[in-house]
Amino acid sequence: MSTAIREKPSNLQVFPLTFLFFATAIVMFMIGMIAAINWVPNLSSAGQVRGPEGWMLAHLFLLGWVSMMAMGANFQLIQVILNTKLFSRALGFVHYLFYTVGLILSLIGFYRGDSDLIAIGGSLIAIGVLLFVFNMAMTMVRKRKWNVFVFGVSASMLNFVMVVSLGVMQGISIGTGWGSSHYDRMFMSHLWLGMAGWMSGLIVTYSFKLLPMFYVSRKKPAKDAYWIIGLLQGGVWLKVGGIWFEVELVEKMALVSVMIAMALMTLFVIRVQGKGKPPGGAVPVAANLIPAVAVLLWIWGGQDLFSLSVPLSLTPAFGFFLICGWFTTTTLSYLSKIVPFLWWAYRFHTKWQKKNVVLLSEMTPDRRMIGELVLFLGGVIVVCVSFLIQRPELAMFGQIVSLCALVAYIAELVRIFRY
């Protein structure tokens, strides 16, 4: 038995671990989307998301959904990019246990308003994240290969560690009053490191690999990729420094750095599309979202740079779009190619004569999935508009549309396993 396991390709050895993370992430996301039907209208009418309902949704979406999915995908992608094996598959399961139990306890704590439970859950999440980072770091160190992906993933993981550390510190601050004078600084740093440093950084980094591959493009990441990641991550840390030292000029420089990074990333995507072929799956949605996010970032950032008078609800609306519009839609888009490939390889890896039964391109209805993803994104945009004009009934409508489209899209992914 052990010999058979060793003979399997490395991506097949971690297949159960990857899909354990994927399945858990989807369950968490579905719970969050259903709960949001009741909670998002209340948040929309208030024009802000700070409160128990907002915190629960944020942690369901960011930690339960996109981060859980990202960690599972990392176990596969790092092996492909570095052409090596994951340092420890067993450690991945231990990491999953700590992280998942901690997340559940934290969510219960948010729901009950129990700061002790939040602190315990946050500590378990932190242990899980440290195990994940150690596993990934040892995989990279053992290979001893430096490239733009190692650079980007390492920077993103550093942010992830800081995010959960600040989260634990906030929980302790709420429960004990320790560091209460710095709570707002911790909260803002938590947001920037999580949304811009961890998730945005990871999406940008892996898009350098996935988009040229899916588009079969002659445009490959070069030195420009280092500049883009450096400007993005440097901007995030400048922002955190500006927050803690209360230097407005530094905060504005940080924002400009992030805006330039996304503008350059847009140029990279355009070149990939211009030198490639139409990809399968719902990948075009992810590719076209990058320029859209860049434009929205320049609009949001411009009002901050020039101190323009805009509705306070613009920031939560933009934040909701980043989480559900960009992070989520991009993740779902890439899954339309990643899941069929992983299952196809796993299902037929010892039955080469049966590979003619189905081709990868036949496993997903691309047009229908693109339509479902666009409908999901449309519902998200409606919710964002509801924040701006504070119309709760519009928020509920948009959330229901998104949920229905999501159910249809997930059903398409599940149908892949019938082969």
Side-chain angles (χ1 to χ4, degrees):
M1 176 69 77
S2 60
T3 302
I5 292 175
R6 285 196 296 270
E7 290 175 351
K8 287 183 181 179
S10 56
N11 66 304
L12 299 185
Q13 291 184 35
V14 299
F15 178 88
L17 176 62
T18 297
F19 272 83
L20 177 62
F21 275 88
F22 283 6
T24 306
I26 289 173
V27 169
M28 291 284 187
F29 188 44
M30 292 300 296
I31 292 172
M33 288 294 290
I34 293 170
I37 293 177
N38 287 325
W39 293 345
V40 164
N42 297 333
L43 300 174
S44 170
S45 61
Q48 57 89 29
V49 295
R50 293 184 74 166
E53 294 175 347
W55 291 333
M56 277 199 70
L57 284 180
H59 286 80
L60 269 170
F61 289 155
L62 287 172
L63 291 182
W65 160 235
V66 288
S67 292
M68 184 79 77
M69 188 66 72
M71 289 185 289
N74 264 295
F75 291 140
Q76 289 288 341
L77 293 172
I78 198 69
Q79 296 183 125
V80 173
I81 290 170
L82 296 183
N83 190 26
T84 189
K85 293 175 64 175
L86 184 68
F87 174 70
S88 174
R89 184 178 58 163
L91 190 61
F93 284 105
V94 175
H95 145 220
Y96 170 85
L97 182 63
F98 273 101
Y99 187 90
T100 305
V101 171
L103 179 58
I104 292 172
L105 290 177
S106 294
L107 292 172
I108 295 172
F110 282 123
Y111 184 77
R112 293 180 177 177
D114 187 335
S115 58
D116 291 337
L117 205 54
I118 294 172
I120 294 170
S123 299
L124 293 176
I125 290 172
I127 293 172
V129 169
L130 289 174
L131 292 175
F132 163 70
V133 171
F134 176 78
N135 208 358
M136 293 288 290
M138 290 302 296
T139 302
M140 292 186 285
V141 168
R142 188 171 58 178
K143 183 63 178 180
R144 295 182 180 179
K145 181 178 181 181
W146 179 261
N147 56 34
V148 69
F149 306 107
V150 173
F151 173 50
V153 171
S154 298
S156 295
M157 290 194 303
L158 173 61
N159 289 317
F160 197 19
V161 171
M162 291 302 300
V163 167
V164 295
S165 300
L166 285 167
V168 172
M169 291 168 64
Q170 288 177 81
I172 295 172
S173 178
I174 293 172
T176 66
W178 172 84
S180 57
S181 60
H182 299 298
Y183 182 84
D184 284 341
R185 294 189 184 97
M186 288 189 284
F187 178 74
M188 292 304 299
S189 300
H190 184 70
L191 286 181
W192 269 86
L193 290 167
M195 295 182 67
W198 163 236
M199 281 314 308
S200 298
L202 208 60
I203 287 176
V204 166
T205 298
Y206 279 130
S207 291
F208 282 125
K209 174 67 176 180
L210 296 176
L211 289 180
M213 181 174 68
F214 293 150
Y215 274 90
V216 195
S217 177
R218 288 176 286 118
K219 172 60 180 174
K220 307 295 182 184
K223 290 183 178 179
D224 56 343
Y226 284 98
W227 277 104
I228 292 169
I229 294 172
L231 285 167
L232 175 61
Q233 297 291 0
V236 170
W237 281 93
L238 267 180
K239 181 68 177 182
V240 171
I243 290 170
W244 280 91
F245 292 101
E246 298 182 341
V247 182
E248 185 178 357
L249 178 60
V250 171
E251 291 191 56
K252 290 189 175 184
M253 290 171 58
L255 189 53
V256 170
S257 180
V258 174
M259 291 164 67
I260 292 173
M262 289 305 299
L264 293 176
M265 187 65 191
T266 296
L267 293 178
F268 174 82
V269 171
I270 292 171
R271 289 169 185 161
V272 167
Q273 292 173 318
K275 295 183 179 181
K277 302 175 182 179
V283 173
V285 180
N288 292 319
L289 264 175
I290 290 175
V293 170
V295 170
L296 290 174
L297 175 63
W298 276 75
I299 293 172
W300 177 79
Q303 59 85 25
D304 189 34
L305 288 174
F306 299 105
S307 302
L308 301 178
S309 178
V310 296
L312 294 176
S313 56
L314 178 63
T315 294
F318 182 55
F320 189 86
F321 182 82
L322 286 180
I323 296 171
C324 291
W326 188 29
F327 303 158
T328 294
T329 307
T330 298
T331 301
L332 291 171
S333 172
Y334 286 155
L335 284 178
S336 70
K337 292 288 285 185
I338 292 173
V339 171
F341 174 77
L342 291 178
W343 180 246
W344 185 76
Y346 182 81
R347 176 70 176 81
F348 299 112
H349 72 279
T350 58
K351 303 175 182 179
W352 301 101
Q353 73 280 10
K354 291 188 177 182
K355 284 197 172 183
N356 291 328
V357 172
V358 62
L359 300 175
L360 272 173
S361 58
E362 298 172 344
M363 296 180 77
T364 53
D366 295 348
R367 283 190 175 183
R368 192 161 70 228
M369 293 185 78
I370 289 175
E372 290 159 355
L373 205 51
V374 169
L375 184 61
F376 171 83
L377 187 58
V380 171
I381 292 172
V382 170
V383 173
C384 293
V385 172
S386 76
F387 272 95
L388 294 175
I389 62 177
Q390 297 184 3
R391 295 293 297 271
E393 68 277 7
L394 196 62
M396 180 175 287
F397 172 75
Q399 189 63 31
I400 291 173
V401 169
S402 290
L403 178 59
C404 292
L406 175 66
V407 170
Y409 191 88
I410 296 298
E412 304 287 8
L413 291 176
V414 171
R415 279 169 57 83
I416 292 169
F417 299 105
R418 73 186 188 276
Y419 293 106

